[in-house]
Amino acid sequence: GLSVKYKTGPGFDENNNSTDLQIRVTVTNVIDKRPLYNVLGIITGSIEPDRYVLVGHHHDTISRGTVEAQAGSVALDHLVAMFGQLLQLGYRPLRTIIFCSWDGGEQGSLGSSAWLQENFQLVSQRAVAYLNIGAMADGNFTLQAVASPLLQKLLYDAARQIQSPDNRYVSLYDLWADRPSSKLKLSDKPDEPKVLYSVGGAGDESNFYYRAGVPIAGIKATFDKEDLPAESYPLYHTAYDSVFAYENFIDPGFNFTKALTQMWGASILNLANSSIIPFQVSRYSEVLNYLIHRDLVPHQAEWGKHGVQIGDLVSAATRFSAAAASFERRPSLENDLYHSLLKQRIYNDQLMAVERVFIDTIALEQRPFVKHVLFGPSITDEASGTPFPVIQDSLHRISQGETTAWDDLMRGIEKITAKILMAAKLLEKSPQL
Amino acid sequence: GLSVKYKTGPGFDENNNSTDLQIRVTVTNVIDKRPLYNVLGIITGSIEPDRYVLVGHHHDTISRGTVEAQAGSVALDHLVAMFGQLLQLGYRPLRTIIFCSWDGGEQGSLGSSAWLQENFQLVSQRAVAYLNIGAMADGNFTLQAVASPLLQKLLYDAARQIQSPDNRYVSLYDLWADRPSSKLKLSDKPDEPKVLYSVGGAGDESNFYYRAGVPIAGIKATFDKEDLPAESYPLYHTAYDSVFAYENFIDPGFNFTKALTQMWGASILNLANSSIIPFQVSRYSEVLNYLIHRDLVPHQAEWGKHGVQIGDLVSAATRFSAAAASFERRPSLENDLYHSLLKQRIYNDQLMAVERVFIDTIALEQRPFVKHVLFGPSITDEASGTPFPVIQDSLHRISQGETTAWDDLMRGIEKITAKILMAAKLLEKSPQL
């Protein structure tokens, strides 16, 4: 904020009652039905036309919306133009790439939501990943990423290929690793760039992640949150989110916008062309074990008094780690994996199954759209994400005095345990049936 | 029944009230927990180890249970022995075969139900089909089959390969086609052997069909239902279901039991070894169109008065037919399908997707285990099947005066329409996304 004294009215008195102030609000909203326009561009893959790399962005804005979302529209247009040029040069990706310019993003991701519903089985069976181009930059200090643990390495690998916009660093990765956007400890690896694994429930990506179990990734340039401790950039959804602000303050020279567009290009190429899909399952098991030990294990003694045990969950996560490690060793041990397209497909099918396993059609009876048992929007703040929403919801209800929620906590833990065991089985070469 | 006068007590009087008869019932049941034992035998496939042909049978019986279910246990043992011998001769199927000897069949298919739940994602993603060996024979007049429309041709092809136990016919198929077990018109093709597409909710196969969307097939030899109009054979679940009865009356010489065991063997080989999975999608669209015109179209005018339209459903089924026809022409047009294991896999993935599309996780809020929108157990008789359970449930409630059920009927029809459109999209070469 600016260093002036803010005046926001007399507010509440010392007893937290409002004063006798009266406010007259004139609402001129009109309820109306309007069509929404999703624009899709498809490049059919040459080898696996039925495997979809989805790249999405909502093009609608509130007011001018340069950060949110015109800069992303420009990036998407550039990516489409680049892949179009490659296509004309005879280059066709192995897998299908689908560029999605969504409408209705500001009305609750309506465009992507309706499209997903209409194509649910196609997406559920065929989507490799969903890359979400949201804001490109709302600052120019460092990068801020959300991703499924499966795609963390994809973002790192892409960032390593791109030149840093700030010449004090060689690559975008170096800048990102050296400048944490906040001091929040998100994972077991403090030296690596931060990636948030749980997104909120508002964005287009949350539909794909939380309803269909498709791994997602999103990244933007942002400001230093230690310096400006704001949840989002101050011009967000105001008339001041303008081209002028973008050019002069947010991303002068469009350096970050350009670098991140290049990074998206590298990520899309990697997902669409690598014979083995670039998912790192061992990262998923590491993150899971870290979160279990950070968020659940400290409560073990207290929960035990209410008959809630987490021993099976901890064992399941250990088994998942072992399965993931063996699975990742296979390409170096099995030469024929490189020579057989079918064997690659079978291996990739296992990779694609991992995220989907964590979808439970009735994960939370009270919140039917939250189906991912490991990550979801928080019960207290829909716009923020939380690990283990199934557990957090029960804890929230327990904190409000609902003693019956202990049973739900137990069932939630059992549900997560079963899902993790299933993830292990799906990676095992000869699963115990 | 026998031609003697039955005496079953004084019963109800002319006003349907009971008389003053008193009955004292002494119940000696003990509620107890017992372990159930499923026995699984797995032959891992050489080319597609992650594609499972499931062959199941419940081995537990009530009382002696020769028809229900010891004869099936003998058949399963023979099949396992045969595939074991082939394995020793160096023969390994292309796909994995899993022989399942279930427990708890008579307690509500508990064994298969628990196993499916524990392995749901593996089955959902990998199972090609579930063949259910129930009773082998409860008579020796003709055959009686239940199957997903996808597997109707599989049964026909197998029956054509097996010698008829009755030498008035060449093949088992000829006998089956010539001797309908009842006059019930089940399909649009009266000259072909009858196959029932909707099974009841009691058997092991119903879990796989209605909860996981895995195509199923079951077949047995049976009596002439025009001659003996009984729902099931009279010794069913009695102490008289004995080896003596089986040898002397049910299947003298075990001729049908042997022929059907051979037929199962042929079916398993076909499913496990055909490079293109032997599913006939055009049969699915034919059956669907037949059932729509038999069960729904006649009500069009009446339903229209309540705002319920079926025009979109009829169009969707037409589009599904067109997609199925094009899809089935592809192998004869695309030579490379025969040369590329990957292209076969992609084609087979589309085949495997068809039945699964018809699963809706909340098809019926009142009956959560019924998830298949085209076939399911009847609301009025759980042991019988019905087409369109989503529609039949609403009609049942309408017939009981629940006027709000008209809305459910409309939503049910919309749900089925969306599913059929999705089935078409999954078969189309470049689906409109």
Side-chain angles (χ1 to χ4, degrees):
Chain A
L2 306 175
S3 60
V4 295
K5 190 163 169 22
Y6 281 83
K7 285 185 186 291
T8 53
F12 299 96
D13 67 17
E14 65 275 10
N15 298 318
N16 265 336
N17 294 315
S18 62
T19 59
D20 58 359
L21 194 73
Q22 285 201 347
I23 298 176
R24 179 185 299 261
V25 178
T26 308
V27 178
T28 56
N29 288 355
V30 177
I31 292 178
D32 195 8
K33 280 194 183 178
R34 298 280 181 86
L36 293 177
Y37 298 98
N38 292 332
V39 182
L40 271 73
I42 302 175
I43 301 176
T44 303
S46 58
I47 301 291
E48 288 191 292
D50 65 336
R51 288 294 174 259
Y52 303 159
V53 176
L54 300 167
V55 185
H57 167 73
H58 77 80
H59 61 248
D60 60 299
T61 66
I62 285 180
S63 188
R64 285 168 176 147
T66 305
V67 168
E68 184 77 18
Q70 289 185 7
S73 292
V74 173
L76 185 64
D77 285 354
H78 271 276
L79 289 165
V80 169
M82 184 197 89
F83 279 92
Q85 284 177 324
L86 288 172
L87 207 55
Q88 283 181 325
L89 293 171
Y91 161 92
R92 182 175 286 279
L94 305 186
R95 302 192 179 90
T96 294
I97 301 172
I98 306 182
F99 296 101
C100 316
S101 184
W102 308 121
D103 204 347
E106 298 293 2
Q107 283 87 41
S109 303
L110 285 186
S112 58
S113 200
W115 185 82
L116 175 60
Q117 188 163 328
E118 206 172 305
N119 295 284
F120 192 83
Q121 274 80 6
L122 285 167
V123 171
S124 174
Q125 291 175 21
R126 299 179 181 178
V128 173
Y130 175 79
L131 304 180
N132 193 63
I133 302 178
M136 296 302 290
D138 59 21
N140 52 51
F141 172 67
T142 187
L143 305 185
Q144 185 180 337
V146 292
S148 159
L150 287 175
L151 290 181
Q152 182 164 2
K153 185 169 179 297
L154 179 94
L155 292 179
Y156 289 175
D157 288 347
R160 284 195 185 95
Q161 293 179 51
I162 309 302
Q163 202 180 332
S164 166
D166 179 327
N167 58 22
R168 276 168 289 181
Y169 301 96
V170 176
S171 74
L172 200 52
Y173 179 90
D174 300 321
L175 178 149
W176 185 15
D178 195 50
R179 295 180 176 175
S181 64
S182 76
K183 291 203 173 117
L184 215 63
K185 187 161 181 270
L186 293 179
S187 89
D188 49 327
K189 298 192 173 170
D191 295 339
E192 291 190 349
K194 282 186 201 304
V195 168
L196 192 66
Y197 306 111
S198 355
V199 303
D204 296 303
E205 73 281 9
S206 71
N207 287 320
F208 293 90
Y209 200 21
Y210 295 153
R211 290 169 63 186
V214 174
I216 58 109
I219 193 161
K220 66 177 176 185
T222 195
F223 49 90
D224 183 354
K225 296 205 170 166
E226 295 301 318
D227 183 44
L228 174 62
E231 292 239 341
S232 84
Y233 73 108
L235 308 182
Y236 184 67
H237 282 181
T238 72
Y240 304 101
D241 179 0
S242 64
V243 174
F244 178 83
Y246 202 88
E247 283 182 330
N248 289 283
F249 309 118
I250 302 283
D251 188 21
F254 300 111
N255 292 329
F256 275 92
T257 306
K258 179 181 163 194
L260 285 171
T261 306
Q262 292 170 329
M263 192 175 152
W264 281 126
S267 302
I268 296 166
L269 282 173
N270 193 354
L271 283 166
N273 282 333
S274 299
S275 54
I276 301 295
I277 296 173
F279 289 172
Q280 195 181 26
V281 284
S282 62
R283 185 62 198 146
Y284 218 134
S285 62
E286 281 171 9
V287 167
L288 185 58
N289 277 285
Y290 169 74
L291 293 173
I292 287 172
H293 285 88
R294 189 192 72 178
D295 294 355
L296 310 184
V297 168
H299 301 283
Q300 205 162 5
E302 184 205 343
W303 293 358
K305 292 180 203 153
H306 296 270
V308 176
Q309 309 294 343
I310 62 166
D312 286 349
L313 176 60
V314 173
S315 316
T318 305
R319 179 165 161 198
F320 179 40
S321 295
S326 299
F327 183 79
E328 281 185 353
R329 272 194 301 273
R330 283 183 46 202
S332 64
L333 300 173
E334 297 173 22
N335 269 326
D336 53 354
L337 201 55
Y338 290 102
H339 305 304
S340 159
L341 290 176
L342 176 63
K343 281 187 199 291
Q344 287 168 15
R345 170 88 166 198
I346 292 174
Y347 191 87
N348 286 334
D349 278 358
Q350 287 177 277
L351 281 169
M352 282 176 60
V354 173
E355 191 85 58
R356 282 150 173 92
V357 153
F358 296 117
I359 295 297
D360 190 296
T361 49
I362 42 165
L364 285 172
E365 279 177 37
Q366 293 86 354
R367 296 199 286 156
F369 284 146
V370 181
K371 297 176 190 295
H372 200 301
V373 299
L374 299 187
F375 305 111
S378 159
I379 178 97
T380 52
D381 174 13
E382 179 73 15
S384 297
T386 178
F388 309 122
V390 179
I391 290 176
Q392 296 304 333
D393 276 28
S394 300
L395 292 180
H396 176 71
R397 289 169 51 216
I398 287 168
S399 75
Q400 295 194 315
E402 279 189 53
T403 51
T404 56
W406 284 106
D407 275 352
D408 289 341
L409 177 64
M410 191 179 71
R411 275 195 294 272
I413 289 171
E414 286 170 358
K415 201 173 268 186
I416 297 170
T417 306
K419 290 295 191 184
I420 296 173
L421 279 179
M422 186 61 73
K425 276 191 184 184
L426 279 160
L427 292 177
E428 285 163 8
K429 197 142 191 198
S430 301
Q432 182 71 41
L433 294 171
Chain B
L2 306 175
S3 59
V4 295
K5 191 164 169 23
Y6 281 83
K7 286 185 186 290
T8 53
F12 299 96
D13 67 16
E14 64 275 11
N15 298 318
N16 265 335
N17 294 315
S18 61
T19 59
D20 58 359
L21 194 73
Q22 285 200 347
I23 298 176
R24 179 185 298 261
V25 178
T26 308
V27 178
T28 56
N29 287 356
V30 177
I31 292 178
D32 195 8
K33 280 194 182 178
R34 298 282 181 86
L36 293 177
Y37 298 98
N38 292 333
V39 182
L40 271 73
I42 302 175
I43 300 176
T44 303
S46 58
I47 301 291
E48 288 191 292
D50 65 336
R51 288 295 174 259
Y52 303 159
V53 176
L54 300 167
V55 185
H57 167 73
H58 77 80
H59 60 248
D60 60 300
T61 66
I62 286 180
S63 189
R64 285 168 175 147
T66 304
V67 168
E68 184 76 18
Q70 289 185 6
S73 292
V74 172
L76 185 64
D77 285 354
H78 271 276
L79 289 165
V80 169
M82 185 196 89
F83 279 92
Q85 284 177 324
L86 288 172
L87 207 55
Q88 283 181 324
L89 293 171
Y91 161 92
R92 183 175 285 279
L94 305 187
R95 302 192 179 90
T96 294
I97 302 172
I98 306 182
F99 296 101
C100 315
S101 184
W102 308 121
D103 203 347
E106 299 293 2
Q107 283 88 40
S109 303
L110 285 186
S112 58
S113 201
W115 185 83
L116 175 60
Q117 188 163 327
E118 207 172 305
N119 295 284
F120 192 83
Q121 274 80 5
L122 285 168
V123 171
S124 174
Q125 291 176 21
R126 300 180 181 177
V128 174
Y130 175 80
L131 303 180
N132 193 63
I133 302 178
M136 296 302 290
D138 59 21
N140 52 51
F141 172 68
T142 187
L143 305 185
Q144 184 180 337
V146 293
S148 159
L150 287 175
L151 290 180
Q152 183 164 2
K153 186 169 179 295
L154 179 94
L155 292 179
Y156 289 175
D157 288 347
R160 284 194 185 96
Q161 293 179 51
I162 309 302
Q163 202 179 331
S164 166
D166 179 327
N167 58 22
R168 277 168 289 182
Y169 301 96
V170 176
S171 74
L172 200 53
Y173 179 90
D174 300 321
L175 177 149
W176 185 15
D178 195 50
R179 294 179 176 176
S181 65
S182 76
K183 291 202 173 118
L184 215 63
K185 187 160 181 271
L186 294 179
S187 89
D188 48 328
K189 299 193 173 170
D191 295 338
E192 291 190 348
K194 281 186 201 306
V195 168
L196 193 65
Y197 306 111
S198 354
V199 303
D204 295 302
E205 73 281 8
S206 70
N207 286 321
F208 293 90
Y209 200 20
Y210 295 152
R211 290 170 62 186
V214 175
I216 58 108
I219 193 161
K220 67 177 176 185
T222 196
F223 49 90
D224 183 354
K225 295 204 170 166
E226 295 302 318
D227 183 43
L228 174 62
E231 291 239 342
S232 85
Y233 73 108
L235 308 182
Y236 183 67
H237 282 180
T238 72
Y240 303 101
D241 179 0
S242 64
V243 174
F244 178 83
Y246 203 88
E247 283 182 330
N248 289 282
F249 309 118
I250 302 282
D251 188 21
F254 301 110
N255 292 329
F256 275 92
T257 306
K258 180 182 162 193
L260 285 171
T261 306
Q262 292 170 328
M263 191 175 152
W264 281 127
S267 301
I268 296 166
L269 282 173
N270 193 354
L271 283 166
N273 282 333
S274 299
S275 54
I276 301 295
I277 296 173
F279 289 172
Q280 195 181 25
V281 284
S282 62
R283 185 63 198 144
Y284 218 134
S285 62
E286 281 171 10
V287 167
L288 185 58
N289 277 285
Y290 168 74
L291 293 173
I292 287 172
H293 285 88
R294 189 192 71 179
D295 294 356
L296 310 184
V297 168
H299 301 283
Q300 205 162 5
E302 184 205 343
W303 293 358
K305 291 179 204 154
H306 297 270
V308 176
Q309 309 294 343
I310 61 166
D312 286 348
L313 176 61
V314 173
S315 315
T318 305
R319 179 166 161 198
F320 179 40
S321 295
S326 299
F327 183 79
E328 281 185 353
R329 272 194 301 273
R330 283 183 46 202
S332 64
L333 299 173
E334 297 173 22
N335 269 326
D336 54 353
L337 201 56
Y338 290 102
H339 305 304
S340 160
L341 290 176
L342 177 63
K343 282 187 198 291
Q344 287 167 17
R345 170 87 165 200
I346 292 174
Y347 190 86
N348 286 334
D349 278 358
Q350 288 177 275
L351 281 169
M352 282 176 60
V354 173
E355 191 85 58
R356 282 151 173 92
V357 153
F358 296 117
I359 295 297
D360 190 296
T361 48
I362 42 165
L364 284 172
E365 279 178 36
Q366 293 86 355
R367 297 198 286 156
F369 283 146
V370 180
K371 298 177 190 295
H372 200 301
V373 299
L374 298 187
F375 305 111
S378 160
I379 178 98
T380 52
D381 174 13
E382 178 73 15
S384 297
T386 178
F388 309 121
V390 179
I391 290 175
Q392 296 304 333
D393 276 28
S394 300
L395 292 180
H396 175 71
R397 289 169 52 215
I398 288 168
S399 75
Q400 295 194 317
E402 278 189 53
T403 51
T404 56
W406 284 106
D407 276 352
D408 289 341
L409 178 64
M410 191 179 71
R411 274 195 294 272
I413 289 172
E414 286 170 358
K415 201 173 268 186
I416 297 170
T417 305
K419 290 294 191 183
I420 297 172
L421 279 179
M422 186 61 72
K425 276 191 184 183
L426 279 160
L427 292 177
E428 285 163 9
K429 197 141 191 200
S430 301
Q432 183 70 41
L433 294 171

